[in-house]
Amino acid sequence: MSDNPKHPLDSTASEESLERLSKVARIEGFSDEEAEEQQGLGDSESMNPVNPRVQRYLVAIEYIGTRFSGSQQQAKDRTVVGVLQEAFHKFIGQPVKIFCSSRTDAGVHALSNVCHVDVERISKRKPGEVLPPHEPGVVQRAVNHFLQRKDGDVMVIDVWCVPSNYHARYKAQERTYFYRLLSGSDPLSILEKDRCWHVPEELNLRSMQEACRVLVGSHDFSSFRAAGCQAKSPMRSLDELNITEVPSTPYFPSITERARSNQNNGDPLACSSQPKSETAGVTTNVGEVEGSTDGDSFGRRRRHRCYVVTTRSRGFLYHQVRLIVGALKCVGTGELTVSDVERILEAKTVSAAKPMAPASGLYLARVKYEFP
């Protein structure tokens, strides 16, 4: 999302444009990973008459989930919505109410969650004087200013103007989640703390991919929804479920990779003060021979193998993704077979499932919309 002139509604928009933009088809009931099932529009604000002086903004945010007690506002605990509402209040000088597209549990991160907020721009110099709406870029920079002045664990990454009936939750067409697993016997780096699930055992990637094929598509996912799920139906369609191995992060090139890059690219700007030598067909810096035992490996951390599970659907059951990842991990370690996953799915009871994966490895990656 960006400042696209097709979408923002500025103060000069004609009544005809406003009417055309308001005729966006409403997407009916869905449920997301952390709280499910549309029950009407639910939020009473959606039923309020249109106030032409109020601009609705669609706001995309990223956040570090382990710093919050979930995304939804709570009376006493620190939440994503609570922090965001406070920043908006400081920006415009009056309280606002924010509605998220997807509710996330404590510990669950977001690369891009989306919410909407209604803002009436009132002059601070002349109380009561209503001014034209702020441009989306102004909103993004101003709210980030107040967010970063405090803990800096939430950031606005995009803002669009949308019609007054555009609901962040019910207009969402699909959601994508990532889950990160790091495999390896070495202790986890402190830079990865609360950012993944550390699995000491080796993982069989091929077996996990086969298990994904069992679960992708439309099924009764009763075995993969936690107690307390409010969804009326356990039927869900996973449009995508796969696992891939990716470079572990924070990612920095190894000696071999740096040498190979310099050798292949011939980059005159890639400088080194050390002479080159050929070792086992790879150009390396003298004293930095890959795999040597003469002390040059001292202080270097072994890399873990990093795997990412991708799930994409219009909506998810409560804890569905984490329960699926828990089963996939057991397939990877050999605790379960692919046939066991089929059996768990057919059992249609969560008591048949393996323990779910921890929240810290889960990332809400994207919420997809169609715009007028």
Side-chain angles (χ1 to χ4, degrees):
M1 288 190 280
S2 59
D3 294 349
N4 188 324
K6 291 177 63 179
H7 303 306
L9 306 179
D10 58 31
S11 59
T12 63
S14 66
E15 291 184 4
E16 180 179 352
S17 299
L18 290 170
E19 181 179 359
R20 181 173 64 255
L21 287 172
S22 68
K23 294 179 180 177
V24 184
R26 177 168 170 257
I27 294 178
E28 299 296 336
F30 66 85
S31 45
D32 56 68
E33 213 279 337
E34 303 302 338
E36 310 313 315
E37 207 71 29
Q38 174 181 353
Q39 301 184 11
L41 267 179
D43 301 317
S44 59
E45 56 84 35
S46 302
M47 307 305 293
N48 290 340
V50 175
N51 182 346
R53 301 184 304 179
V54 172
Q55 175 63 62
R56 176 164 293 187
Y57 296 96
L58 201 64
V59 182
I61 55 175
E62 64 180 8
Y63 50 85
I64 302 171
T66 45
R67 308 276 181 86
F68 301 94
S69 297
S71 61
Q72 293 304 102
Q73 189 170 20
Q74 300 177 30
K76 297 181 179 180
D77 296 324
R78 186 171 186 262
T79 66
V80 175
V81 165
V83 169
L84 196 58
Q85 288 182 164
E86 182 181 352
F88 265 94
H89 191 175
K90 290 180 178 178
F91 167 42
I92 65 174
Q94 55 186 327
V96 299
K97 192 163 182 63
I98 289 175
F99 298 86
C100 273
S101 66
S102 302
R103 303 172 188 173
T104 56
D105 276 345
V108 177
H109 312 289
L111 304 177
S112 182
N113 199 349
V114 179
C115 55
H116 75 253
V117 58
D118 292 334
V119 173
E120 183 178 17
R121 185 184 176 193
I122 299 177
S123 173
K124 295 180 180 179
R125 295 181 178 179
K126 299 179 179 179
E129 180 182 356
V130 179
L131 303 175
H134 291 288
E135 290 296 321
V138 173
V139 175
Q140 180 176 349
R141 290 189 295 272
V143 173
N144 277 335
H145 169 74
F146 291 108
L147 289 172
Q148 303 313 307
R149 283 178 62 179
K150 296 197 71 175
D151 298 276
D153 39 22
V154 184
M155 177 173 282
V156 175
I157 60 175
D158 214 343
V159 178
W160 274 17
C161 294
V162 292
S164 59
N165 65 344
Y166 204 95
H167 199 289
R169 184 179 179 192
Y170 304 124
K171 291 294 185 182
Q173 291 199 319
E174 67 178 22
R175 294 158 176 76
T176 300
Y177 283 88
F178 293 148
Y179 196 99
R180 294 183 67 236
L181 302 100
L182 262 61
S183 169
S185 58
D186 281 10
L188 192 66
S189 166
I190 59 171
L191 300 178
E192 290 285 7
K193 183 182 179 182
D194 297 329
R195 301 292 195 278
C196 64
W197 183 9
H198 178 216
V199 180
E201 302 93 337
E202 290 187 8
L203 295 174
N204 187 321
L205 179 60
R206 179 166 295 183
S207 295
M208 296 171 77
Q209 290 171 334
E210 291 178 8
C212 286
R213 287 192 282 272
V214 171
L215 297 173
V216 75
S218 296
H219 302 284
D220 180 334
F221 281 99
S222 294
S223 296
F224 295 95
R225 72 165 173 174
C229 179
Q230 299 175 3
K232 295 179 180 179
S233 170
M235 297 299 298
R236 288 294 181 271
S237 179
L238 290 185
D239 300 315
E240 180 180 358
L241 176 62
N242 63 58
I243 179 168
T244 54
E245 184 171 4
V246 300
S248 59
T249 55
Y251 179 80
F252 303 101
S254 67
I255 300 169
T256 303
E257 289 167 331
R258 299 198 306 269
R260 185 181 298 118
S261 176
N262 292 345
Q263 181 184 47
N264 293 343
N265 297 336
D267 185 357
L269 298 180
C271 301
S272 173
S273 61
Q274 300 187 35
K276 305 287 183 176
S277 67
E278 294 290 331
T279 305
V282 177
T283 302
T284 64
N285 288 325
V286 173
E288 289 191 348
V289 180
E290 195 78 356
S292 68
T293 57
D294 59 0
D296 60 316
S297 61
F298 175 76
R300 292 179 184 162
R301 172 179 283 279
R302 283 185 178 181
R303 286 184 182 171
H304 292 82
R305 301 188 73 169
C306 183
Y307 303 91
V308 175
V309 178
T310 302
T311 57
R312 179 169 54 86
S313 176
R314 188 183 185 192
F316 296 86
L317 300 167
Y318 186 49
H319 289 163
Q320 182 181 357
V321 175
R322 290 165 60 188
L323 283 163
I324 287 174
V325 173
L328 294 177
K329 175 261 184 184
C330 290
V331 171
T333 60
E335 185 179 346
L336 291 178
T337 65
V338 175
S339 297
D340 290 330
V341 174
E342 293 177 335
R343 175 184 54 78
I344 292 172
L345 180 64
E346 293 169 358
K348 296 181 175 59
T349 173
V350 71
S351 61
K354 287 293 180 178
M356 67 181 178
S360 58
L362 185 59
Y363 296 73
L364 175 56
R366 186 193 180 201
V367 184
K368 181 181 177 181
Y369 295 89
E370 277 193 3
F371 293 95

